[in-house]
Amino acid sequence: MILSYFSSLDWRSWDLEHRPVIPEGMAILIDDDLLFEDGPAAPRQASVVNRWLRELPASGAPAPSSWENYARAVKEWAEFLAEHGVGLFDTRERLKAGLSRYAEHRAAGPARSRFAATTWGQHMSILSLFYRWAMEEGFASAEPFTYRSARAVFAGTGREARVNLAVRRTPKPHVTIKYLEPDFTDLFRKGLQGLAPDGNRDTGFAGREMTRNAAIGDLALATG
C-alpha cells in the first residue's frame, strides 16, 4: 500500500468542471496496483480509508500532520492484517485475533517495529475512531476493540466515558523521575534521618527506624 499526498496542481487538465474539494496535502492510500475499486460500486479498503481521511478536517483534525499520522496508523494496521490473511473489515473474532497478534508484535517483536506505550495508545485511539466511523457509515460490521465504562470527573463535573482496553497503561509523571536535583537530594536524605532542612533534629518528626530509612535512601541514591 502506497501513502501519497493530494495536490490540485494543474487540476484543469483533469477534465473536471470544478476544483476538487479534497484538502491540499491530504494523505491518500493507494493499493500497489494503483486501483481504487474492483468494479462499479465495489470500492477497495483503501478507498474507504481515503473517504474517512478526507472528513478529518471537519472532525476535529485540521492539521496536515495529523492526517499523515492517521493515515500511517491505518496503513500499518491494514498491512499487518493482510500479512495474516485478515481483512480490514473482517469479522469481530478475526479482527480481535489480529489485534492480539499486533499488540504482541508492537510490544515484543523486532526492535524497529516496537512501540512505546504512548505511541501504541495513540495508534489504538486512531484505529478506534476509524472503526467507529466505518461502522456508522456501514462499511464495517465489527471492530477489534473491547471497552469498559468509566466515569471521568473534570472541574467537579462527571461524565460517563468508554475506555479502550487495548491501550496500555502508562506510568504517572511522578514515577518517571530519573534523577533528583542536588538540593532536593540533600533534603530527601535529611528527611529520612528525621532532620530539619538546616540539619538539626526535627522535633516535629515522629518517624521510626530512621537509621534504616536513611541507609535505604542512600542505597537507592547510590545504585539508582
Side-chain angles (χ1 to χ4, degrees):
M1 191 176 288
I2 303 167
L3 174 59
S4 186
Y5 305 90
F6 177 78
S7 172
S8 62
L9 184 66
D10 296 330
W11 68 269
R12 290 182 176 83
S13 65
W14 301 349
D15 195 26
L16 297 176
E17 183 178 355
H18 302 287
R19 182 173 183 161
V21 295
I22 302 175
E24 289 293 316
M26 173 56 65
I28 302 172
L29 297 184
I30 309 170
D31 284 339
D32 294 337
D33 59 6
L34 306 183
L35 296 178
F36 288 100
E37 58 183 19
D38 292 317
R44 292 189 175 181
Q45 296 176 354
S47 294
V48 176
V49 177
N50 290 336
R51 176 178 161 183
W52 173 66
L53 292 171
R54 291 196 299 270
E55 295 180 11
L56 288 177
S59 302
S65 59
S66 296
W67 309 338
E68 179 179 357
N69 291 336
Y70 281 41
R72 287 189 183 279
V74 179
K75 174 180 179 292
E76 293 172 4
W77 163 245
E79 290 175 338
F80 183 86
L81 290 179
E83 291 177 0
H84 294 79
V86 181
L88 186 61
F89 303 124
D90 219 311
T91 64
R92 177 168 172 78
E93 181 180 2
R94 289 173 59 80
L95 286 173
K96 289 182 67 176
L99 179 62
S100 180
R101 178 69 180 87
Y102 193 54
E104 183 274 334
H105 173 71
R106 289 304 192 184
R112 66 180 182 278
S113 301
R114 297 179 186 178
F115 280 167
T118 51
T119 303
W120 171 259
Q122 291 170 357
H123 276 236
M124 292 303 98
S125 295
I126 291 172
L127 293 179
S128 178
L129 290 173
F130 169 68
Y131 274 104
R132 202 174 308 163
W133 172 87
M135 293 176 69
E136 291 175 352
E137 296 295 328
F139 294 109
S141 60
E143 63 176 315
F145 305 110
T146 301
Y147 302 88
R148 67 175 175 82
S149 297
R151 185 168 181 79
V153 179
F154 179 75
T157 303
R159 64 179 180 84
E160 295 299 322
R162 294 201 312 169
V163 178
N164 190 337
L165 297 183
V167 176
R168 300 182 211 157
R169 296 184 63 183
T170 55
K172 300 296 183 182
H174 72 277
V175 300
T176 60
I177 298 174
K178 299 183 184 300
Y179 65 92
L180 302 178
E181 296 293 342
D183 56 345
F184 187 82
T185 299
D186 182 62
L187 185 64
F188 172 70
R189 295 180 69 251
K190 289 177 179 176
L192 290 176
Q193 298 175 63
L195 303 179
D198 60 5
N200 295 318
R201 180 67 58 185
D202 185 353
T203 56
F205 185 76
R208 299 172 55 192
E209 306 293 346
M210 290 176 286
T211 301
R212 179 202 61 188
N213 295 344
I216 295 297
D218 288 341
L219 177 64
L221 292 169
T223 62

